[in-house]
Amino acid sequence: MRYTKTICILLLSVLAMTSCKEFFEMADVDDEVLPTSITISRGNFSIMEGDQFVLHAQSDVDSLLNGYFWQSSDESVVRMVGDTVVAVGPGIATVKVVSARKQLTAIIDVTVVQQWQVSPYDFAREMMVYADVTVKGQKANESILVGAFSNGELRGVGELCQVGSRQYVQIRVYGAGYTEGGSGTEVINFRCYDRTKAEFYDFPTRLNFDGMTHGTLSNLYKLTIN
């Protein structure tokens, strides 16, 4: 009898310990702080066709944001590989991130810009620009593309060149024509695209299309964005 009573007491003790453990575990779950919002590290932006850019999801409780997945509204424009935007073709797509906790969502619009290509056979005239390009304190490199435009139409794409220690961007600009005496009939403005940041910038500089050469290797034409 005493032996049976001892077993019963031990069983009750084990059940009591188990119940307490479950109680504290449930209390921990109830007290867990869950995220209430999620954001994307980048707002609406533009990217060039063929390029990629990594996005990041951010939450007010980052330590508890254990997972999320990404979606694109149009995979012919943007395809998501994990958190990486892959620019497939020109257009606009909405990118959505959904958190695994509480199904929180955030969205942005991504515009894919067609690759900068221009055919010289579409234009009657041309002029040359030898430029010293500086963007936000950074000299032109393979990741910075420079384009020449007239009324939004691409008229030329810069080529990164180097002679000795001197580096410059050569831009062959195409145009429909110009009047005698060098008075330009078209105004050329310049843009650049930073592939590492998926950022487009406009240079403040303007040129009349005059069929002349602007800048020389010893005195390069300045294209600067501060």
Side-chain angles (χ1 to χ4, degrees), residues 60-115:
D60 55 338
V61 188
D62 289 329
S63 62
L64 296 177
L65 191 62
N66 295 324
Y68 46 85
F69 59 93
W70 299 82
Q71 298 175 331
S72 169
S73 65
D74 189 345
E75 293 198 340
S76 69
V77 176
V78 167
R79 182 165 54 89
M80 295 302 298
V81 180
D83 56 3
T84 301
V85 172
V86 179
V88 179
I92 301 176
T94 298
V95 169
K96 177 194 290 187
V97 62
V98 183
S99 70
R101 310 296 295 273
K102 294 186 66 175
Q103 294 291 295
L104 301 170
T105 64
I107 62 172
I108 60 171
D109 287 335
V110 177
T111 301
V112 177
V113 177
Q114 187 174 18
Q115 286 188 357

Side-chain angles (χ1 to χ4, degrees), residues 14-36:
V14 171
L15 289 172
M17 291 176 63
T18 303
S19 297
C20 288
K21 183 179 180 182
E22 290 179 351
F23 172 78
F24 285 118
E25 285 182 348
M26 291 184 66
D28 289 341
V29 171
D30 291 340
D31 291 341
E32 184 180 14
V33 179
L34 295 176
T36 60

Side-chain angles (χ1 to χ4, degrees), residues 94-194:
T94 298
V95 169
K96 177 194 290 187
V97 62
V98 183
S99 70
R101 310 296 295 273
K102 294 186 66 175
Q103 294 291 295
L104 301 170
T105 64
I107 62 172
I108 60 171
D109 287 335
V110 177
T111 301
V112 177
V113 177
Q114 187 174 18
Q115 286 188 357
W116 285 352
Q117 296 178 335
V118 60
S119 172
Y121 304 107
D122 293 337
F123 303 97
R125 306 288 182 179
E126 67 178 49
M127 71 180 189
M128 289 295 300
V129 179
Y130 296 99
D132 177 14
V133 176
T134 306
V135 179
K136 305 288 185 177
Q138 183 179 13
K139 289 294 185 181
N141 55 55
E142 294 292 345
S143 296
I144 294 179
L145 305 180
V146 179
F149 294 81
S150 178
N151 290 325
E153 181 184 20
L154 182 65
R155 294 299 185 85
V157 180
E159 177 186 358
L160 187 63
C161 302
Q162 185 160 343
V163 175
S165 60
R166 181 177 290 273
Q167 191 176 71
Y168 62 97
V169 176
Q170 174 182 294
I171 313 169
R172 192 178 299 273
V173 184
Y174 299 97
Y178 50 88
T179 61
E180 295 296 329
S183 175
T185 59
E186 298 173 289
V187 177
I188 304 298
N189 63 285
F190 299 91
R191 300 192 76 196
C192 79
Y193 170 63
D194 188 334

